[in-house]
Amino acid sequence: KKILDLIRSLEKEAPAAGGMVHFLIGNHEEMNILELSFRYGYVTQKQFQSFLPAGYVAAQEARFKEKPENGGDLTKLWEDLLTDPDAQRLYTRTFNKNYGTWIAQHNAVIKINDTLFCHGGLSAKYAEKTLGEINAAVRRDIDKGDTDGVAMDDDGPLWNRRLAFGGPTAVAD
């Protein structure tokens, strides 16, 4: 949350300083928007709490503390809530309300001068498409909640890691 808040702030400040911030949609942003982040188990308790409404967090913690058998350690509460489907949906709704629309307005792939930037990599499968076509497809998938399109494709720009892990042959291809 702090990172997204900082990027959003820098996006607004950069033009006044003669610069620009290029925030790219990545697979973690996409998974948060599509409510898939819990499937992969990467959401930490701190992240989970930070995107939930403050009133919900306070109410859950107060209710937990009322029961003497729980002791004072809130770790158990957050471990349980992290796996609770209702709490996960609330997390996703709150994330999307505050950040999802803003994130989805960004690109997944951009070109600055002669350099292409994307979160993952660009495979041969997408190399013939224009950047506009790729970005439109990613946005469309996120908008529609499509988990079978370019946004979730292992060869797509959010997930492809072949250039990073494939060695010199993969890079040459």
Side-chain angles (χ1 to χ4, degrees):
K1 184 174 183 296
K2 287 181 182 179
I3 292 168
L4 293 176
D5 289 340
L6 175 62
I7 292 169
R8 192 183 260 176
S9 173
L10 290 173
E11 263 186 342
K12 292 175 184 171
E13 294 171 16
M20 188 164 186
V21 171
H22 299 279
F23 175 75
L24 300 177
I25 300 171
N27 61 326
H28 286 243
E29 291 80 20
E30 169 215 19
M31 288 188 297
N32 272 294
I33 291 169
L34 297 179
E35 200 174 341
L36 300 172
S37 52
F38 298 100
R39 204 183 281 182
Y40 295 91
Y42 78 84
V43 178
T44 66
Q45 288 180 25
K46 184 176 179 179
Q47 176 185 340
F48 185 59
Q49 282 179 266
S50 72
F51 286 105
L52 288 168
Y56 175 84
V57 170
Q60 291 296 325
E61 289 182 349
R63 196 172 305 125
F64 185 83
K65 289 176 182 176
E66 286 174 359
K67 299 177 183 173
E69 67 271 17
N70 288 332
D73 185 10
L74 295 170
T75 305
K76 173 78 170 111
L77 166 68
W78 290 108
E79 284 173 359
D80 290 346
L81 286 174
L82 198 53
T83 61
D84 178 90
D86 291 332
Q88 291 175 352
R89 278 190 291 282
L90 179 60
Y91 166 94
T92 302
R93 278 196 312 274
T94 306
F95 180 90
N96 284 334
K97 177 183 174 193
N98 297 321
Y99 297 92
T101 303
W102 169 73
I103 290 169
Q105 294 170 356
H106 291 81
N107 291 315
V109 183
I110 62 171
K111 183 177 176 186
I112 301 174
N113 299 322
D114 291 332
T115 306
L116 185 78
F117 295 90
C118 62
H119 178 78
L122 200 61
S123 67
K125 180 177 179 180
Y126 294 100
E128 298 297 319
K129 297 190 180 300
T130 68
L131 300 185
E133 290 170 333
I134 295 168
N135 287 320
V138 169
R139 282 192 199 96
R140 187 173 47 250
D141 290 353
I142 289 173
D143 241 20
K144 292 182 177 180
D146 185 355
T147 57
D148 293 321
V150 63
M152 288 295 290
D153 187 345
D154 287 344
D155 286 327
L158 305 184
W159 289 92
N160 185 298
R161 300 290 189 271
R162 285 186 184 86
L163 295 178
F165 299 118
T169 305
V171 174
D173 291 345

